Amino acid sequence: MSVIRSVILGCGSYLPARILSNDELAKTVDTTDEWIVQRTGIHERHIAAEGELTSDLATHAAKAALAHAHVEADSIDLIILATATPDQTFPASAVTVQNNLGISTGVAFDLQAVCSGFVYALAVADSMLRTGPHKRALVIGAETFSRILDWSDRTTCVLFGDGAGAVVLEAQEQPGTNTDRGLLTTHLRSDGKHRAKLYVDGGPSSTQTVGHLRMEGREVFKHAVAMITDVIEDAFAATGTSAADIDWFVPHQANKRIIDGSAHKLGISPEKVVMTVDRHGNTSAASIPLALADAVADRRIKRGNLILLEAMGGGFTWGSALLRW
């Protein structure tokens, strides 16, 4: 029996022009390149220019994805922008992207699940494409985390960067097997009792300010691998697949040690892991689509490949997605 799958037609990315190296950071905060690389694997990150908004980054990535998919903007009837750093409290930055693309029909909204945002957005878009009137979607992850960092806190400011990535999804009829193209399964979780381990100390309802990112690094690291493994094992069980079947593992790019630990625990070979954290830092909701676009651009990812995505973010939120390119 045939089913409707959300198939990725194309992807795109955008990184701000300014690159901030570890050595440059070491001039303003008590750290060194060696310290950062040893603990995180990060060498550099991109920083948005003054006046360059999250919606600007998202628009660039969306245009690149549309071009890669060879589709026109006016064929998009659903835009979901995953971000924790919107332009404004409201309206949603997604409607700004919609307007920037010249689209005046369909639906556009933001989704906030921090670093898990892109996986959550994929799951929501997939549900809407499979069960609703929508036929083609833009799913975007875009962040300007540099705007919410305390640049005097060396435990957090060295970790994050700015960027955006996007994919074009289309509802297509498929045979209904594990060899189908498109999203095969998604699994999402959250547990609010961990919210104080990774959060921003401000907001409209609490302090009427934007606030800064705060993190208990050791606690986040301790929980990350176990939580990630949980949702990935659910994805394998739902599809009857295993780590051996995966062609590429595209994790949230938070920390090289977390990525390495997760892959090792799951039995995924290091050569199957897509890693961009060294060049991008942690770009939160943008990190998975940025890494995905990077691997597609250099032709590592090819048609028919089975790809595993995973992420964990503040809250805690975490999730996985299994798809065939």
Side-chain angles (χ1 to χ4, degrees), residues 46-323:
H46 291 251
I47 303 295
E50 185 176 351
E52 191 174 35
L53 307 179
T54 293
S55 62
D56 296 324
L57 275 59
T59 300
H60 286 302
K63 288 180 176 178
L66 290 167
H68 185 244
H70 303 292
V71 300
E72 297 299 323
D74 60 11
S75 71
I76 300 295
D77 54 14
L78 172 63
I79 300 174
I80 304 178
L81 172 56
T83 187
T85 51
D87 296 357
Q88 300 162 305
T89 302
F90 72 86
S93 298
V95 300
T96 301
V97 175
Q98 182 188 39
N99 182 63
N100 290 346
L101 296 174
I103 304 170
S104 57
T105 58
V107 141
F109 59 91
D110 289 357
L111 184 151
Q112 215 280 53
V114 203
C115 300
S116 304
F118 185 76
V119 173
Y120 271 59
L122 276 181
V124 173
D126 179 49
S127 178
M128 294 177 75
L129 288 173
R130 288 188 294 104
T131 62
H134 306 287
K135 300 301 179 186
R136 192 174 280 171
L138 262 172
V139 178
I140 310 165
E143 303 283 15
T144 49
F145 255 54
S146 62
R147 308 275 161 77
I148 58 170
L149 296 178
D150 177 352
W151 288 97
S152 66
D153 178 7
R154 72 168 186 165
T155 65
T156 57
C157 75
V158 302
L159 301 176
F160 296 90
D162 302 334
V167 297
V168 177
L169 290 177
E170 182 178 76
Q172 292 185 7
E173 193 170 296
Q174 297 283 319
T177 71
N178 279 351
T179 61
D180 289 354
R181 286 193 68 203
L183 276 164
L184 302 177
T185 190
T186 58
H187 298 268
L188 308 177
R189 301 279 190 281
S190 63
D191 189 345
K193 72 172 174 282
H194 299 294
R195 61 178 300 277
K197 292 178 174 62
L198 178 56
Y199 69 102
V200 168
D201 61 0
S205 180
S206 55
T207 63
Q208 296 81 58
T209 63
V210 174
H212 292 113
L213 184 147
R214 305 299 179 193
M215 181 174 69
E216 297 178 15
R218 291 180 181 177
E219 284 295 303
V220 173
F221 187 93
K222 184 176 74 175
H223 286 85
V225 174
M227 289 178 167
I228 289 164
T229 304
D230 168 38
V231 287
I232 290 175
E233 289 176 345
D234 284 351
F236 288 156
T239 55
T241 56
S242 69
D245 300 310
I246 300 301
D247 293 300
W248 293 104
F249 179 39
V250 186
H252 167 49
Q253 307 289 311
N255 180 305
K256 186 179 184 298
R257 291 193 297 164
I258 293 175
I259 295 170
D260 289 343
S262 302
H264 177 75
K265 187 172 182 179
L266 291 161
I268 298 175
S269 302
E271 60 268 19
K272 292 183 177 182
V273 180
V274 176
M275 199 173 309
T276 57
V277 68
D278 57 327
R279 292 172 284 131
H280 301 166
N282 182 347
T283 54
S284 187
S287 79
I288 287 177
L290 276 168
L292 190 66
D294 193 72
V296 170
D298 66 18
R299 301 187 179 181
R300 276 176 287 172
I301 290 178
K302 300 177 176 63
R303 176 69 65 86
N305 282 174
L306 188 63
I307 302 169
L308 175 64
L309 314 178
E310 65 77 13
M312 189 194 100
F316 285 150
T317 61
W318 66 104
S320 68
L322 192 63
L323 64 94

